[in-house]
Amino acid sequence: MMARSLAAEFAKLKRSKMILWTLLALLAYAALTLAVAPYLGSDAGQTGLKDAGGIWQQATEQGVFDDTWAAGLKQEPRFIAGGLVLLIFALVTAYVFGREFKEGTAVQSLTAPLRREYLTLSKLAVIAVWLLAWTALSMLVHIIDLAILQEGFAGLAARDLWAATGDTFLAAFMLYLTLPLFAWMAVWGKGYLRPMLAAVTITGMSSAIINTEFSPYFPWNMPVHVVGASWMPIPPSGLVPASWLVLVAVFVIGVAGTIWQLNRADTA
């Protein structure tokens, strides 16, 4: 039954415009990188960042925006850890779990002789594959961007590439562990509104508390503490063991809550 549920969920993605929209978001970011990175790495850009003072000056002095392969590769995991990717995959999660309510087909899936646990896990598997493929493509596109900016692969070190790749997929994995909460909200709200409002609110909260003592315990800030962020910018600072316990707890609560909500959902 689980295999059939998985096959059905992947079949639902055929001709899905949401896949196209997530790809367009990725390409838009890649285009923005090509437009902005040359200025940030130039003498004028570096001077402007230093003049801004504070964390921007510190980041510039630490080489965060240097026009090199090593500095450029570190921006990819920081992109994945940022709020934009959270918004994209909160929307993907809301779409996967909420589309049947919006399209009026929930009556078929919720009345089928299928355990709700299988339905939940199948949808989460679809999201996991989607996030994995999207992250891999994002890494590839970023490398192409850097090759264009650097006019070739001279200066690319294998250790920098592997480190950036590992950090990128680690940030994506940490993000994925928070997505079941948005799935719960999508089923609870029977659509996309509640999970997206939650994602926007969380993104704002992330920025507000990033420099506080509570930040290492806030699940959506944890990837930033591991790989850093370019949007403020913020260097990696590491996590405490309790942070990982919180992150795992958020995943478990999200999955359990989604199953519970599906078990009591009606099709009206």
Side-chain angles (χ1 to χ4, degrees):
M1 292 295 290
M2 184 65 184
R4 291 177 61 185
S5 179
L6 274 171
E9 290 301 324
F10 279 105
K12 292 176 185 177
L13 294 182
K14 291 181 179 178
R15 297 181 295 277
S16 171
K17 292 183 180 179
M18 184 60 71
I19 295 176
L20 176 61
W21 285 117
T22 58
L23 291 176
L24 288 176
L26 173 57
L27 294 177
Y29 178 78
L32 181 64
T33 299
L34 285 176
V36 174
Y39 172 74
L40 293 178
S42 67
D43 291 340
Q46 297 275 308
T47 300
L49 291 170
K50 288 180 181 178
D51 290 343
I55 57 176
W56 295 99
Q57 179 181 0
Q58 296 173 20
T60 305
E61 293 171 349
Q62 293 168 5
V64 171
F65 300 106
D66 283 357
D67 184 21
T68 63
W69 269 101
L73 284 170
K74 290 179 180 179
Q75 297 302 330
E76 175 61 14
R78 292 172 178 177
F79 164 58
I80 299 296
L84 176 60
V85 179
L86 168 62
L87 291 174
I88 290 172
F89 275 92
L91 178 58
V92 168
T93 304
Y95 172 76
V96 171
F97 278 88
R99 65 179 296 192
E100 291 167 351
F101 293 102
K102 299 298 291 184
E103 296 172 0
T105 59
V107 64
Q108 284 85 15
S109 60
L110 293 181
T111 57
L114 178 69
R115 291 174 61 111
R116 303 295 166 85
E117 292 88 342
Y118 292 164
L119 182 62
T120 300
L121 294 178
S122 296
K123 289 180 180 294
L124 288 175
V126 167
I127 296 169
V129 172
W130 197 331
L131 178 57
L132 180 65
W134 193 92
T135 302
L137 181 60
S138 178
M139 187 72 196
L140 176 60
V141 169
H142 188 68
I143 291 171
I144 294 172
D145 266 2
L146 290 176
I148 294 172
L149 293 170
Q150 297 296 321
E151 299 181 349
F153 293 93
L156 172 60
R159 65 178 181 277
D160 293 331
L161 178 60
W162 286 117
T165 301
D167 285 345
T168 295
F169 283 98
L170 175 59
F173 172 70
M174 296 175 75
L175 170 63
Y176 175 76
L177 292 180
T178 70
L179 296 180
L181 280 183
F182 299 105
W184 186 359
M185 294 178 196
V187 178
W188 175 32
K190 297 183 179 180
Y192 314 140
L193 183 60
R194 287 182 184 178
M196 289 314 300
L197 287 176
V200 172
T201 302
I202 286 168
T203 301
M205 290 177 60
S206 297
S207 300
I209 70 170
I210 190 66
N211 288 317
T212 70
E213 60 183 306
F214 305 105
S215 186
Y217 304 96
F218 191 62
W220 294 274
N221 277 2
M222 292 178 190
V224 172
H225 286 282
V226 173
V227 303
S230 55
W231 41 269
M232 286 191 69
I234 301 166
S237 57
L239 294 174
V240 296
S243 300
W244 294 101
L245 293 177
V246 170
L247 191 57
V248 172
V250 165
F251 177 78
V252 172
I253 291 170
V255 173
T258 303
I259 294 171
W260 175 79
Q261 196 72 51
L262 282 171
N263 276 326
R264 65 189 300 270
D266 58 44
T267 57

